[in-house]
Amino acid sequence: MEENNTPAAMQDNQSVEGQDSQEAQPKKKRGGFTSKIGFVLAAAGSAVGLGNIWRFPYLAAKYGGGIFLLTYIILAVTFGFVLMVAEIALGRKTGMSAINAFKKLNKKWAFLGVLCAIIPIIILPYYSVIGGWVGKYFFTYVSGGGMSAAGDSFFNGFISSPWQPLLFFFIFVSVVFVVVLFGVEKGVEKVSKFLMPALVVLTIGVTIYTLTMPGSAEGIKYYLLPDFKKFSVKTVLAALGQLFYSMSLAMGIMITYGSYMKKQDKIESSVHQIEIFDTGIALLSGLMIIPAAYAFSGGNPETLGQGPGLMFVALPKVFANFGSVGGGILGALFFALVLFAALTSAISLMETVVSIVIDKFHLSRKKSSVIVYVGTLLLGIPSSLGFGVWSAVSVGGMTILDMFDFLSNSILMPIAALLTCVFIGYVVGCRNLTDEIELNGPFKFKKFFNVMIKYVCPICIAAILITSILDVFGVFSI
Ligand code: TRP
């Protein structure tokens, strides 16, 4: 694979481009992916992160197990497929990043580029808070405290203390900042090509082990067999938000990736590959964590429904079974790999935000990076404190971190996705995009794509959004 296959290389180009007038920028100045596999790996690298390993399992546990899984898979092969194809095609057609792509096609729709830009600004700070938690666990295992991490009160003790989570959050954001500031993402990306497969192998190993534990069978049942009584609009909204989040959709990032894709590479099959990769890792993580929660806490509804802490509570108990040495090594290795996946995604998120600042305010890369760094620190502090000293701040049982998460994934992303569909279906015209997709061969799902973009996606997303917003305001309960 060549140098400029990495998102880092893309982002560099994007930043340079952002300083000049987009339209005047000659095409040849943009770097690009030199091979289809390079494109698929880079996009999958952005997609695979905490969303798959940390967020998917806790949502699946919270929203009814099998029924969430089923809903998620159905949404992934319909909404997820269509939206990812649309975003990549939009990027490749315009050759621009999100903030400018919408503007180029229709001046009145420039606001959609802005909406897409707000989302990563909200995600990055709280993503980094969780990244800090992973850092803490890594540190605990490395310094020989793995057995204590398996204790019942370890996780809550940690997140509710004021300084420790802040310290690890600060370290995490600082590492991301240094990488972005000194532009060493290429090195990070290279290492991640080895570490990502290692993470998959380790996850498979831990999963197989967990599945042999007494009590895990109940967990497998809960996770794999849908219970239709547990189905509700909330399940769909949660699954939809998770889909956008996990596949890095509805925030313009895939538009940017698409803008660097070569005209002769096939969009449709690339999307299939990215989806299989991303969904595969999410499903596997669920299979590792949910049965573990059953084997060690008997499927206690409190553990299952506990939300963001699930991975941190369930896995140390698995590792503890290997004794303090074996478990210590296993835990250190596992959290190191998760930390790495979190770092690569956070780097890509910070890159996105930095290029937005460069584009909008025409500042230097250095200044923009510093602004984004300080802003991320400030915005992340409430999310971190929300589990301790600020735990009184809560809406509908949500902590501050949950609120940011809900705002971006369950409100803004569905709105951005809905508007993107309307924009493509009724302003640009599906034809424009399907022509782009058909540049190199037939588009198998063309009819499906058209119907989904014009009718099914916007109507369903609007219905889901309206019902759940009414629910939040207590107009009626679903
Ligand atoms: N998909 C990432 C994950 O699963 C999170 C994410 C969402 C992301 N949007 C992004 C990462 C944009 C990088 C860039 O963890």
Side-chain angles (χ1 to χ4, degrees):
M1 223 176 295
E2 296 189 20
E3 282 290 275
N4 59 356
N5 268 347
T6 62
M10 297 175 11
Q11 298 286 358
D12 283 342
N13 287 319
Q14 188 190 4
S15 319
V16 170
E17 178 196 45
Q19 283 161 327
D20 307 319
S21 142
Q22 294 280 341
E23 276 76 11
Q25 194 71 17
K27 264 264 159 31
K28 64 177 189 305
K29 270 205 175 174
R30 281 179 85 88
F33 294 103
T34 43
S35 63
K36 188 181 148 207
I37 184 73
F39 171 76
V40 170
L41 283 179
S46 149
V48 175
L50 289 175
N52 309 60
I53 308 158
W54 156 74
R55 200 170 186 274
F56 180 85
Y58 93 66
L59 285 184
K62 190 169 165 182
Y63 289 98
I67 191 68
F68 180 86
L69 190 70
L70 182 67
T71 312
Y72 185 85
I73 293 174
I74 292 174
L75 290 176
V77 296
T78 52
F79 286 48
F81 169 73
V82 165
L83 270 165
M84 191 176 269
V85 166
E87 286 198 17
I88 293 176
L90 198 60
R92 195 171 75 174
K93 185 173 173 61
T94 55
M96 288 173 181
S97 58
I99 227 173
N100 298 301
F102 292 110
K103 195 157 77 190
K104 179 184 178 187
L105 292 171
N106 188 315
K107 281 230 151 35
K108 279 194 198 134
W109 282 75
F111 76 93
L112 187 48
V114 177
L115 177 63
C116 285
I118 293 172
I119 297 170
I121 297 176
I122 298 176
I123 293 182
L124 176 62
Y126 86 80
Y127 198 88
S128 304
V129 170
I130 308 293
W133 294 1
V134 178
K136 157 78 181 178
Y137 272 68
F138 170 63
F139 179 77
T140 306
Y141 275 95
V142 166
S143 55
M147 291 313 255
S148 67
D152 281 335
S153 54
F154 184 85
F155 177 72
N156 280 331
F158 164 60
I159 58 163
S160 59
S161 71
W163 294 111
Q164 272 217 32
L166 279 183
L167 175 69
F168 282 96
F169 161 67
F170 175 75
I171 297 172
F172 185 89
V173 182
S174 303
V175 171
V176 175
F177 168 65
V178 167
V179 171
V180 171
L181 186 67
F182 292 108
V184 290
E185 300 91 329
K186 279 181 201 167
V188 175
E189 287 294 331
K190 277 210 180 99
V191 187
S192 89
K193 296 219 164 81
F194 298 100
L195 295 188
M196 287 296 233
L199 177 63
V200 176
V201 172
L202 189 63
T203 307
I204 293 176
V206 175
T207 308
I208 293 174
Y209 175 76
T210 314
L211 298 187
T212 62
M213 298 299 291
S216 65
E218 273 303 303
I220 302 171
K221 255 200 227 151
Y222 178 75
Y223 181 54
L224 295 181
L225 296 181
D227 175 357
F228 289 91
K229 284 197 289 298
K230 294 203 171 102
F231 182 82
S232 77
V233 179
K234 276 185 190 151
T235 316
V236 187
L237 183 70
L240 195 66
Q242 172 60 17
L243 177 70
F244 296 149
Y245 185 86
S246 183
M247 290 179 42
S248 307
L249 291 173
M251 51 189 275
I253 190 95
M254 286 298 158
I255 300 181
T256 308
Y257 274 83
S259 71
Y260 293 96
M261 190 188 197
K262 278 199 164 172
K263 291 281 182 197
Q264 62 264 36
D265 287 339
K266 291 203 166 96
I267 294 180
E268 193 177 9
S269 60
S270 303
V271 171
H272 286 312
Q273 287 164 4
I274 300 166
E275 272 214 292
I276 290 172
F277 213 73
D278 187 68
T279 312
I281 294 183
L283 300 194
L284 186 64
S285 303
L287 194 59
M288 166 173 71
I289 291 172
I290 295 178
Y294 265 85
F296 296 103
S297 49
N300 181 342
E302 226 165 81
T303 309
L304 284 179
Q306 76 150 312
L310 187 64
M311 171 178 101
F312 300 94
V313 171
L315 289 182
K317 293 192 199 290
V318 178
F319 301 145
N321 266 344
F322 290 87
S324 71
V325 177
I329 295 173
L330 204 58
L333 195 61
F334 180 81
F335 283 107
L337 294 174
V338 176
L339 186 58
F340 211 82
L343 276 172
T344 53
S345 284
I347 290 166
S348 163
L349 274 164
M350 191 182 273
E351 276 287 358
T352 309
V353 180
V354 167
S355 41
I356 289 165
V357 174
I358 295 176
D359 276 11
K360 270 276 145 207
F361 303 104
H362 303 284
L363 294 173
S364 74
R365 209 184 138 71
K366 229 189 209 138
K367 267 196 198 134
S368 309
S369 307
V370 173
I371 293 173
V372 172
Y373 174 55
V374 175
T376 305
L377 286 177
L378 292 179
L379 276 175
I381 290 172
S383 289
S384 182
L385 293 181
F387 291 95
V389 285
W390 287 359
S391 58
V393 185
S394 109
V395 174
M398 285 192 277
T399 61
I400 300 177
L401 188 143
D402 287 325
M403 281 188 240
F404 279 118
D405 187 88
F406 184 79
L407 175 66
S408 60
N409 301 342
S410 298
I411 307 238
L412 297 179
M413 282 182 170
I415 293 177
L418 169 73
L419 291 174
T420 306
C421 292
V422 173
F423 178 68
I424 293 170
Y426 300 94
V427 181
V428 178
C430 288
R431 180 71 194 276
N432 262 315
L433 288 197
T434 49
D435 283 354
E436 176 73 31
I437 297 158
E438 283 177 324
L439 279 181
N440 38 34
F443 179 19
K444 267 195 248 149
F445 288 94
K446 184 169 160 180
K447 274 213 179 103
F448 177 72
F449 178 84
N450 288 340
V451 174
M452 287 294 290
I453 289 278
K454 285 182 91 160
Y455 310 107
V456 182
C457 290
I459 293 172
C460 290
I461 297 174
I464 297 164
L465 253 178
I466 293 169
T467 347
S468 44
I469 289 173
L470 290 181
D471 177 62
V472 168
F473 290 106
V475 176
F476 69 91
S477 187
I478 45 176

